[in-house]
Amino acid sequence: MKKIAVVTLIVAILGTGLFVLLKEKKSGIKFRTEKVVKGEIEATVTATGTVNPVTTVLVGTQVSGTIKHLYADFNSSVKKGELIALIDPDRFEADVEQSRANLISAKANVEKSEALLTDAKVTMERKKELFEKGFGSKSDFDTAEANYNSARAQLGADKARVAQAAANLRSSETNLMYTKILSPVDGIVISRNVDVGQTVAATFQTPTLFTIAEDLTKMQIDSSVDEADIGKIQADQPVKFTVDAYPDITFEGKVTQIRNAPVIVQNVVTYDVVVKVDNSELKLKPGMTANISIIVANKKDVLKIPNVALRFRLPENGMGKQEQKGYGVWILDKEKPMRITVSTGISDGNYTELLSGEIKEGRELIVESLMIKPKDMGSSPIPRMR
């Protein structure tokens, strides 16, 4: 009998405890909380861009012809004035010789005209003298004078032909000089678009033979920033970025230019933001895709509220609906949820700066209800930076 009484008492105690526990779980709501902490917040604007050399020179040709020799290739280091390609010069050398012969002929014609002019002048003066003494006719004098004027005009025309032949010679020599493709800058060849034996035509537009990067130790990122964020971007703002080739390395740069020309693609407006980057280690290569974060604001030693706390909404399960205006967070006051209105500053996506509100460091904020389904929770957007 004693054993039965003891067993009955134990069962009664366990049953009472289980009932109380189940009742508490049924009637109460448990919450997960996070603390308000102090620390640093960086507000950033993210974008993507392409790594490019700061100065890129397109080397072309001003004459048409066949590529006879190539003296530079991909990744070749070249100096300013160095010969990097040669267009077959045979036709241009022949043009120079022809132009030089034309100049010699024109100069000879000038000498001939000068001699004829001298003879015509002597004849005119003799006819004039005879006419004045009455030994010659007026007709003979007029003819001699006309011959003199004609010889003088012919000399002028021949001198003009000399100038024209000299100009043609200079043009031919210039075209011959253009058959030598020289590097306009010190740099590295990043692209070669021709091969030996290929014919290039410069009739309508200058064809590009080489692309030369002047200095690969100094690069820039041409990034596209959305119009909603462009107002936050300013020159000299620090930039952090990564490239797929080195996912574990964070590179740094600085905003140097915000271009005003809009880029519109399918009604999406972006602006080109140029970021200068030091590439002393030559890890960055032209054309790499960069994922950049432009630091638009940075504050240290500020109170940081978890963004999930700002998004939390108390479920409506008998506690009554409470009107919520502005930003606010929920705390537990004597085991009961209580909402506190706050004003916020910058955000880094995970935490938001607390500007004002009755919240101190270390305060526990409700971030999640553990007894309800996610669909019963409300939501609100993360506060934007002010």
Side-chain angles (χ1 to χ4, degrees), residues 4-17:
I4 294 175
V6 171
V7 171
T8 302
L9 179 61
I10 293 174
V11 171
I13 293 174
L14 292 175
T16 302

Side-chain angles (χ1 to χ4, degrees), residues 123-124 127 137-149:
T123 301
M124 182 191 68
K127 296 292 184 180
S137 66
K138 180 72 167 55
S139 176
D140 290 342
F141 170 69
D142 290 342
T143 300
E145 185 178 27
N147 291 337
Y148 169 74
N149 291 332

Side-chain angles (χ1 to χ4, degrees), residues 331-369:
I331 65 171
L332 288 175
D333 183 24
K334 297 180 180 179
E335 302 301 323
K336 293 183 178 180
M338 183 177 71
R339 187 175 186 273
I340 298 178
T341 302
V342 297
S343 61
T344 59
I346 65 174
S347 175
D348 62 5
N350 295 318
Y351 289 90
T352 297
E353 175 193 11
L354 174 65
L355 294 178
S356 64
E358 298 179 1
I359 302 292
K360 295 183 179 180
E361 183 181 3
R363 184 76 188 201
E364 297 280 354
L365 304 181
I366 298 176
V367 297
E368 183 183 5
S369 174

